[in-house]
């Protein structure tokens, strides 16, 4: 049996339309030149392709193309945003606000900033995995320079009210960074309307290639972000390195496609999620962790009384994830599930299913069948 893929939140396959486009920017007969080569035509064509791609993503997000900086992915975008702003605003204050259930690319960066003399407040979300604007307002001090919250949580699918949080921060002149790796191309994002200063995106979460991302950096008012990678001064000095034309063109194609198909993809995913939940909830004692009304492509389920690792072994024919971390001696539950107050035992009995554009009804049937049998057997019923 082929493995049924239910791990779209970890990564997505590249849409064939995107791959076709990328191939044109790789080989000797293609547009392969260095986009920074100013001395010849092939270089100009490559530069043109990069700038057209930037415009496409800017159009999808309703921002100015000059506000987008190419990076290697959302991990790098998060690093650049947080370290870059912490550095330029160091004289103003040293306090940063984030949440306990951010992606590790934010949490570990904040942890490193703590070693550099910054203070970080890690807000505790509610049971759904949501941070409120009131919590953020209460955490602000006269030292606060920066806040970072994700739009869609990658383990729970819960959605933060970015506009409400942004309003609070804007009123206090605090820079607001949003990790939108799970939201880009999936939820409507209007950067002209949103009170956000920096936003991170990734190509491979939305049917584009891995190894490419972008950081939105607001120009009005002009935000200063200190470079974290130094070199040829590419990307207006914010991020050096030869631009990967094929990846950039691929990400732009993927974002354009996702924007055009947003309703269609959401509808498809919602129907299959409902089918999956209906089938699996025929089992007793299964509950949804986090927000049942969040982004439909992510559903995190707790199978009470069943060991998550044992369940994972029993359902090898479907690809899902636990979010737990294995150490040499023991298994630690997902910090996100612990972060929303789930007891250790429940967190260790949980699995994340994530669905996407290429998920089929028969894959969902296969998953229901395998999960129901495995849980029943493990519970000894
Ligand atoms: C995947 C993900 C990242 C990391 O993105 P990469 O492009 O793989 O570096 C960051 N934040 C969230 C919320 C993610 O889901």
């Amino acid at each position: 049996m082929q493995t049924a893929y239910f791990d779209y939140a970890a990564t997505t396959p590249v849409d064939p339309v995107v791959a076709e486009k990328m191939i044109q920017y790789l080989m000797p007969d293609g547009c392969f030149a260095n986009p920074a080569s100013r001395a010849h035509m092939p270089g100009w064509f490559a530069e043109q392709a990069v700038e057209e791609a930037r415009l496409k993503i800017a159009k999808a997000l309703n921002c100015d193309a000059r506000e987008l900086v190419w990076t290697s992915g959302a991990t790098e975008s998060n690093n650049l945003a947080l370290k870059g702003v912490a550095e330029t605003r160091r004289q103003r204050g040293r306090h940063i606000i984030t949440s306990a259930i951010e992606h590790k690319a934010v949490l570990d960066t904040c942890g490193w900033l703590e070693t550099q003399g910054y203070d970080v407040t890690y807000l505790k979300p509610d049971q759904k995995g949501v941070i409120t604007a009131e919590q953020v307002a209460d955490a602000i001090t006269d030292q606060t320079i920066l806040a970072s919250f994700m739009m869609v949580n990658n383990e729970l699918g819960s959605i933060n009210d970015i506009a409400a949080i942004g309003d609070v921060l804007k009123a206090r002149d605090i820079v607001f960074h949003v990790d939108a790796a799970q939201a880009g191309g999936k939820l409507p994002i209007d950067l002209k309307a949103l009170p956000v200063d920096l936003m991170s995106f990734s190509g491979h979460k939305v049917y584009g290639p891995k190894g490419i991302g972008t950081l939105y950096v607001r120009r009005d008012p002009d935000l200063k972000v200190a470079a974290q990678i130094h070199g040829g001064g590419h990307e207006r000095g914010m991020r050096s390195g030869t631009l990967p034309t094929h990846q950039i063109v691929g990400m732009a194609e993927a974002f354009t496609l996702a924007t055009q198909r947003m309703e269609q993809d959401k509808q498809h995913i919602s129907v299959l999620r409902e089918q999956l939940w209906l089938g699996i909830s025929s089992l007793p004692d299964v509950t949804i962790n986090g927000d049942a009304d969040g982004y439909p492509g992510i559903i995190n389920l707790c199978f009470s009384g069943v060991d998550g690792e044992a369940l994972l072994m029993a359902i090898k024919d479907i690809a899902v994830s636990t979010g737990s971390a294995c150490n040499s001696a023991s298994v630690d539950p997902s910090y996100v599930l612990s972060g929303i107050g789930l007891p250790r035992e429940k967190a260790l009995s949980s699995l994340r299913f994530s669905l996407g554009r290429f998920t089929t009804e028969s894959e969902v049937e296969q998953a229901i069948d395998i999960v129901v049998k495995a849980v029943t057997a493990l519970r000894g019923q």
Side-chain angles (χ1 to χ4, degrees):
M1 198 184 328
Q2 248 209 316
T3 307
Y5 189 76
F6 284 90
D7 210 10
Y8 279 81
T11 194
T12 61
V14 172
D15 193 289
V17 172
V18 173
E20 293 276 336
K21 180 97 182 176
M22 289 176 70
I23 274 187
Q24 300 165 25
Y25 295 83
L26 289 164
M27 289 180 276
D29 60 347
C31 186
F32 70 87
N34 189 326
S37 291
R38 293 280 158 79
H40 49 69
M41 292 277 280
W44 303 339
F45 285 133
E47 187 192 20
Q48 197 181 356
V50 165
E51 294 316 316
E52 274 169 16
R54 207 189 298 270
L55 270 170
K56 280 188 177 178
I57 296 186
K59 192 164 171 236
L61 301 171
N62 195 25
C63 68
D64 189 308
R66 292 169 299 175
E67 294 176 309
L68 297 173
V69 176
W70 300 116
T71 64
S72 62
T75 298
E76 190 191 327
S77 295
N78 290 345
N79 270 265
L80 174 57
L82 300 177
K83 292 175 185 170
V85 168
E87 194 176 322
T88 53
R89 293 203 139 198
R90 196 174 174 88
Q91 300 313 319
R92 288 185 63 152
R94 307 269 168 100
H95 181 233
I96 298 166
I97 308 171
T98 187
S99 92
I101 62 166
E102 296 301 308
H103 191 273
K104 287 287 183 186
V106 165
L107 290 180
D108 289 356
T109 302
C110 285
W112 181 81
L113 285 168
E114 285 182 283
T115 70
Q116 304 301 304
Y118 294 87
D119 290 318
V120 183
T121 298
Y122 299 92
L123 296 178
K124 193 173 157 25
D126 67 12
Q127 241 185 346
K128 289 186 167 183
V130 171
I131 296 290
T132 64
E134 291 71 40
Q135 277 180 286
V136 177
D138 289 344
I140 294 172
T141 72
D142 58 8
Q143 285 290 305
T144 310
I145 49 169
L146 171 64
S148 179
F149 299 102
M150 66 212 313
M151 191 154 175
V152 174
N153 184 275
N154 51 304
E155 283 193 39
L156 303 167
S158 49
I159 301 171
N160 279 320
D161 187 344
I162 294 303
I165 295 173
D167 283 338
V168 166
L169 295 167
K170 195 172 176 180
R172 301 287 299 267
D173 191 28
I174 295 163
V175 175
F176 186 20
H177 166 253
V178 174
D179 177 351
Q182 294 288 346
K186 296 171 188 161
L187 299 182
I189 295 175
D190 179 349
L191 286 168
K192 287 244 168 14
L194 276 180
V196 166
D197 301 297
L198 299 148
M199 200 177 257
S200 300
F201 298 95
S202 175
H204 74 97
K205 301 289 173 72
V206 62
Y207 315 100
K210 295 168 186 57
I212 183 72
T214 187
L215 177 67
Y216 161 80
V217 182
R218 184 173 288 284
R219 275 174 72 95
D220 180 26
D222 201 9
L223 185 63
K224 293 277 177 289
V225 176
Q228 302 301 309
I229 293 180
H230 304 92
H234 308 73
E235 299 297 280
R236 284 161 287 121
M238 272 184 273
R239 200 279 193 175
S240 289
T242 299
L243 294 173
T245 316
H246 62 298
Q247 315 262 79
I248 288 170
V249 164
M251 181 169 173
E253 198 69 10
F255 262 64
T256 305
L257 197 61
T259 304
Q260 286 162 355
R261 295 180 49 120
M262 200 176 279
E263 259 317 300
Q264 187 185 341
D265 281 349
K266 189 179 155 215
Q267 195 57 31
H268 172 73
I269 288 166
S270 300
V271 168
L272 294 181
R273 173 204 170 96
E274 203 46 39
Q275 185 195 344
L276 181 69
W277 172 237
L278 269 177
I280 289 182
S281 61
S282 66
L283 284 164
D285 298 322
V286 182
T287 47
I288 297 177
N289 296 321
D291 194 350
D293 300 316
Y295 170 64
I298 297 174
I299 181 165
N300 197 309
L301 299 175
C302 175
F303 302 90
S304 291
V306 177
D307 177 60
E309 295 297 312
L311 180 55
L312 207 59
M313 296 306 273
I315 59 169
K316 281 195 300 293
D317 288 329
I318 53 177
V320 294
S321 111
T322 58
S324 51
C326 294
N327 296 326
S328 50
S330 69
V331 181
D332 284 330
S334 147
Y335 70 91
V336 173
L337 296 181
S338 302
I340 58 168
L342 218 62
R344 180 187 161 82
E345 199 172 280
K346 291 231 169 203
L348 286 174
S349 300
S350 297
L351 296 178
R352 177 191 70 185
F353 296 75
S354 47
L355 299 75
R357 185 179 294 166
F358 304 112
T359 308
T360 64
E361 214 178 295
S362 71
E363 282 178 317
V364 173
E365 274 166 24
Q366 183 183 337
I368 294 168
D369 188 49
I370 292 172
V371 170
V372 168
K373 280 186 183 137
V375 170
T376 307
L378 286 167
R379 282 177 175 162
Q381 284 160 341

